[in-house]
Amino acid sequence: MTICYSLADFQQALSLIPNNYKIGFVPTMGALHKGHISLVEKALTISDTVIVSIFVNPTQFNNPGDLAVYPRTVEEDCKKLREAGASLVFIPSVKDIYPGDDTRSISLGGLDLTGEGPRRPGHFKGVAQVVTLLFDIVKPTYALFGEKDFQQLSIIRFFTGELNYPIEIISCPTVRESDGLAMSSRNVLLNAKQREAAPHIYKTLKKAQEIASAQILPGSKEVITPVMLSRWVEEEINSHPLLKTEYAEVVNSLTLQLVQNWEDARDIQLCVAVNVDPVRLIDNIKLKQTL
Ligand code: PAJ
């Protein structure tokens, strides 16, 4: 496995890959866990060579405190990537990625109007900026992203199509701890009590999934609307003293618009962000899927 700490080194390494090779690309911000590794493993099954980038992208952090405490574990990351079978790791500097002002404006197709969008102004603009720059450098055949960041995945799919990148976006299921907590680089920032509280988030999502399929509130005969379910999820998560729901939204899985009725969309997703002070966790679950 080759590790490149500069753009020049990376371009040199990239030029050695045969032209007919299918390149699988996994962009990350490091602090790698089994969720990231599952993307690498999937990439290995469809590509001839797998490239991973590790870059803590400053432009997608709307909160400087969050950027400052973001875990950085490059050595362990490279060990895990070597064991997983990646061929090339790109660890660029900020100057490599942003040599000057980036004045491009990338359309997010309105997919940033719900969920994380309004709560983290500029976040998806930063994600679009870095992902397109990385695509331009790596020129992969496939790029793999996790469903854990459902809105990010939708937005990346959108601009990849809109900008005509000849890249296939592959989505990968959320990898969870045995107690259901979605794996996240931020989980290491939880103290013991918070870590104990955090699985309550996914337990609530699972219950919400059951409620949505029955469309009846537990313990009553009342038919539940998507809006009522959002409120139920918020209250259920907040019933744990260490958890504070920032939002719980029931959205059309394709447009990410809020749905008023279960019949409004073929596919419906429940997306949440929960503060476990000062850590912010996100998760999501499918409520309805029409094949
Ligand atoms: P990062 O949070 O490091 O995540 C890198 C990739 O791993 C993303 O596609 C994310 O969805 C996926 N991932 C994270 N946790 C996962 C889990 N538990 N199961 C499955 N996949 C998981 O997302 C980013 O970095 C950045 O925004 C990036 C796309 C690299 C742009 O900077």
Side-chain angles (χ1 to χ4, degrees), residues 94-233:
V94 173
K95 267 253 142 47
D96 279 331
I97 300 296
Y98 300 115
D101 278 350
D102 183 0
T103 53
R104 299 168 308 151
S105 162
I106 301 164
S107 168
L108 306 179
L111 294 165
D112 60 333
L113 297 177
T114 53
E116 296 294 284
R119 280 99 184 177
R120 300 183 68 189
H123 168 67
F124 288 121
K125 185 168 180 268
V127 169
Q129 201 176 22
V130 76
V131 170
T132 49
L133 291 169
L134 288 168
F135 281 180
D136 291 340
I137 296 168
V138 179
K139 298 187 176 61
T141 321
Y142 306 109
L144 296 92
F145 296 91
E147 286 165 10
K148 150 90 178 15
D149 301 283
F150 188 78
Q151 190 170 18
Q152 169 172 280
L153 171 65
S154 307
I155 288 175
I156 291 171
R157 254 193 215 296
F158 173 79
F159 67 68
T160 301
E162 188 79 355
L163 298 173
N164 289 314
Y165 277 104
I167 299 172
E168 192 177 331
I169 304 298
I170 310 285
S171 65
C172 302
T174 303
V175 177
R176 299 180 180 280
E177 301 287 355
S178 56
D179 57 15
L181 175 65
M183 289 196 182
S184 162
S185 305
R186 290 185 171 88
N187 291 354
V188 298
L189 303 172
L190 298 169
N191 67 31
K193 285 250 166 320
Q194 293 173 325
R195 176 63 189 81
E196 225 172 88
H200 185 55
I201 301 168
Y202 185 58
K203 282 202 185 91
T204 306
L205 298 192
K206 289 291 283 180
K207 274 196 217 160
Q209 194 180 46
E210 282 168 27
I211 296 171
S213 71
Q215 295 190 9
I216 302 283
L217 250 185
S220 87
K221 291 210 165 71
E222 201 181 353
V223 175
I224 192 168
T225 63
V227 177
M228 285 160 72
L229 184 63
S230 307
R231 257 187 249 127
W232 180 87
V233 168

Side-chain angles (χ1 to χ4, degrees), residues 28-40:
T28 80
M29 298 202 298
L32 303 183
H33 50 67
K34 287 184 186 142
H36 296 111
I37 300 303
S38 75
L39 270 52
V40 174

Side-chain angles (χ1 to χ4, degrees), residues 4 9 17 52 92 100 117 124 135 137 153 253 258-259 261 269:
C4 300
D9 279 0
I17 297 176
V52 179
F124 288 121
F135 281 180
I137 296 168
L153 171 65
S253 309
L258 297 176
V259 295
N261 302 295
Q269 207 80 15

